[in-house]
Amino acid sequence: MKKITLLFSILVASMVGAQTLQDSITFNPQQQLNAAQRILSGNYGKAVTVGAYGELTYNQPEAANGELDVQRLVLLFGYKFNDKTQFVTELEMEHTVEVFVEQAFVNYNVGQNVSLRGGLMLVPFGIINEFHEPTTFNGVERPSVDNVIIPTTWRELGVGVTGRFNELSLGYQAYIFNGFKSTSFDGSGGVNGALQGSNGLRGGRQKAIQSTVDSPTLSVKFDYYGIPGLRLGLSGYFGDTQAEDDVENIDGANIGISMIGLDARYAYQRFTARGQFVHGSLSGTEAYNNLTGNQLGSELQGWYLEAGYNLLPQEKAQRLFAFARYEQYDTHANTAGALQRNDAYNRNDLTTGLSYHIAPGVVLKGDYQFRDNAVSGGDVANRLNFGIGVWF
């Protein structure tokens, strides 16, 4: 509680101080672009576009060996067929041994502010899932809420529409995707469950790897940018999970998912802040756990608040952000049937550190994480982290 009170006091004091400054900035949503959006925006002015982003990390838990890792390297490719039609793809290598296609979609501009898309795309939910390039967020590791509750990087195959209502300062996205994979046969007559109590939906991501689908899901997001310096987001995801053939008719093979997320980003001169809240309601978990033997909760919930301040003069090209982020997340926010809530799944992190942007597209990061859970004496090992991030 003391951690929450301290961070909230810092956040409020910083926001009040920032509001008293004389000059203001205008938030331009076109300046807040992720890798795919930069390619689609035509910033490069070429038919063929090549780029990349990557992260090298060092994690040192207390009383344990540290780990050095090329966490990810993502190669970006785009091709502009004409003024209306473009193709974007991202090839990701994780830990130097795994290779994935992270995105691969066609974008067709129907009108000035309306585009149709189809292919492998990021599910528009929260902040980090769409804006996860290492120079766009503080901290060596992504927020835990965007790992455990929102299973970043979350991408699936689908089709949909995206655009803006400029007169309302409102952006929108709406897609039909294949859903999470929930169950499959284990080869000996039993049923495997992909969804777990500890990390919720994360194990069910299909990632366009021979994805199974029997009932599509709906994903929508709205972004409001009409207030100078502020961007507000509302996300929704609704539908059922997917089971392999011959499993889907078994009682408990699938569950229903309804997720709602709220997010906010604020920037004023050298001050930044962001926050996020996510709640997920899962139906049919009692039958699912009886079938699979898993401990999937019936509700997931998480939130965080973060404040940062650039310690260098505003006119300098380099930036040095000191930041603090507090987050709380629980994959057993509620349970169904005889399943008891596991307090080990009710966790919180306090992360504080520095992000030094030595050049546009290059950041050096260092932070320390205080981590624990709701179990009496169940502290999770604190961790020191360092990282290098690039994006071009």
Side-chain angles (χ1 to χ4, degrees):
M1 186 65 186
K2 291 181 179 179
K3 294 177 182 177
I4 300 176
T5 303
L6 175 60
L7 183 59
F8 184 76
S9 299
I10 294 172
L11 180 61
V12 171
S14 300
M15 291 183 74
V16 171
Q19 293 285 11
T20 62
L21 297 175
Q22 294 294 319
D23 298 326
S24 65
I25 63 169
T26 299
F27 188 91
N28 182 351
Q30 293 305 299
Q31 295 174 352
Q32 301 293 313
L33 304 179
N34 58 31
Q37 291 168 337
R38 280 175 57 175
I39 293 174
L40 292 171
S41 69
N43 287 351
Y44 299 96
K46 299 177 180 179
V48 178
T49 302
V50 179
Y53 65 86
E55 297 173 274
L56 291 78
T57 59
Y58 169 58
N59 306 115
Q60 179 59 66
E62 288 185 350
N65 288 343
E67 179 182 88
L68 288 162
D69 187 24
V70 179
Q71 193 165 117
R72 58 181 54 86
L73 175 63
V74 181
L75 303 179
L76 312 169
F77 301 96
Y79 187 80
K80 184 175 182 179
F81 296 92
N82 54 43
D83 289 340
K84 288 183 173 293
T85 311
Q86 293 169 276
F87 176 71
V88 174
T89 188
E90 299 184 22
L91 303 179
E92 178 177 22
M93 291 169 278
E94 293 186 358
H95 318 294
T96 72
V97 295
E98 298 176 310
V99 179
F100 297 100
V101 179
E102 185 163 301
Q103 294 195 79
F105 66 88
V106 172
N107 185 87
Y108 180 74
N109 295 322
V110 178
Q112 184 177 1
N113 294 316
V114 181
S115 294
L116 300 178
R117 290 183 184 176
L120 177 60
M121 298 174 289
L122 300 175
V123 177
F125 204 105
I127 301 173
I128 294 294
N129 199 56
E130 290 190 279
F131 297 87
H132 51 255
E133 294 80 7
T135 60
T136 65
F137 65 92
N138 288 316
V140 175
E141 301 295 337
R142 299 167 181 175
S144 295
V145 169
D146 293 291
N147 181 43
V148 178
I149 306 300
I150 304 172
T152 302
T153 302
W154 182 12
R155 71 273 192 188
E156 297 294 352
L157 287 162
V159 295
V161 60
T162 180
R164 299 190 305 275
F165 299 110
N166 285 328
E167 65 280 6
L168 300 176
S169 300
L170 186 68
Y172 66 89
Q173 299 180 73
Y175 302 102
I176 298 295
F177 287 112
N178 68 276
F180 292 98
K181 185 176 181 179
S182 52
T183 50
S184 60
F185 278 125
D186 63 7
S188 58
V191 176
N192 286 327
L195 312 177
Q196 304 288 338
S198 59
N199 61 2
L201 302 171
R202 188 171 185 84
R205 296 175 302 166
Q206 300 202 65
K207 308 177 186 177
I209 304 173
Q210 297 179 318
S211 301
T212 185
V213 58
D214 53 44
S215 59
T217 60
L218 173 65
S219 175
V220 295
K221 187 173 186 186
F222 299 96
D223 287 289
Y224 177 72
Y225 48 87
I227 300 174
L230 181 67
R231 183 163 186 159
L232 302 174
L234 171 64
S235 309
Y237 179 86
F238 312 95
D240 295 334
T241 57
Q242 325 288 289
E244 283 189 351
D245 287 342
D246 302 325
V247 183
E248 58 184 322
N249 294 322
I250 300 176
D251 184 38
N254 283 317
I255 65 166
I257 303 172
S258 296
M259 289 181 66
I260 294 291
L262 299 171
D263 62 79
R265 285 170 284 172
Y266 180 76
Y268 191 98
Q269 295 194 357
R270 291 190 287 170
F271 172 78
T272 64
R274 60 173 55 187
Q276 184 167 273
F277 173 82
V278 182
H279 180 83
S281 179
L282 312 182
S283 61
T285 57
E286 181 178 7
Y288 180 82
N289 291 332
N290 291 337
L291 175 66
T292 63
N294 292 356
Q295 297 183 340
L296 184 65
S298 59
E299 291 185 21
L300 319 171
Q301 185 166 292
W303 61 270
Y304 70 78
L305 288 174
E306 177 186 300
Y309 190 78
N310 179 15
L311 301 177
L312 299 179
Q314 192 170 357
E315 63 271 13
K316 283 188 172 294
Q318 293 186 338
R319 296 172 296 156
L320 177 61
F321 282 97
F323 77 95
R325 178 177 64 241
Y326 181 82
E327 50 188 319
Q328 196 280 329
Y329 50 104
D330 188 357
T331 52
H332 267 192
N334 204 353
T335 56
L339 179 63
Q340 299 295 310
R341 292 181 62 180
N342 188 336
D343 285 340
Y345 300 158
N346 183 1
R347 292 155 281 187
N348 60 80
D349 299 344
L350 174 60
T351 305
T352 182
L354 298 170
S355 298
Y356 184 24
H357 297 257
I358 62 174
V362 182
V363 62
L364 308 180
K365 300 182 179 183
D367 62 60
Y368 192 83
Q369 294 182 295
F370 302 89
R371 308 188 296 170
D372 58 29
N373 58 36
V375 176
S376 178
D379 287 355
V380 183
N382 296 337
R383 188 167 64 177
L384 177 67
N385 308 297
F386 294 100
I388 300 173
V390 298
W391 178 26
F392 60 90

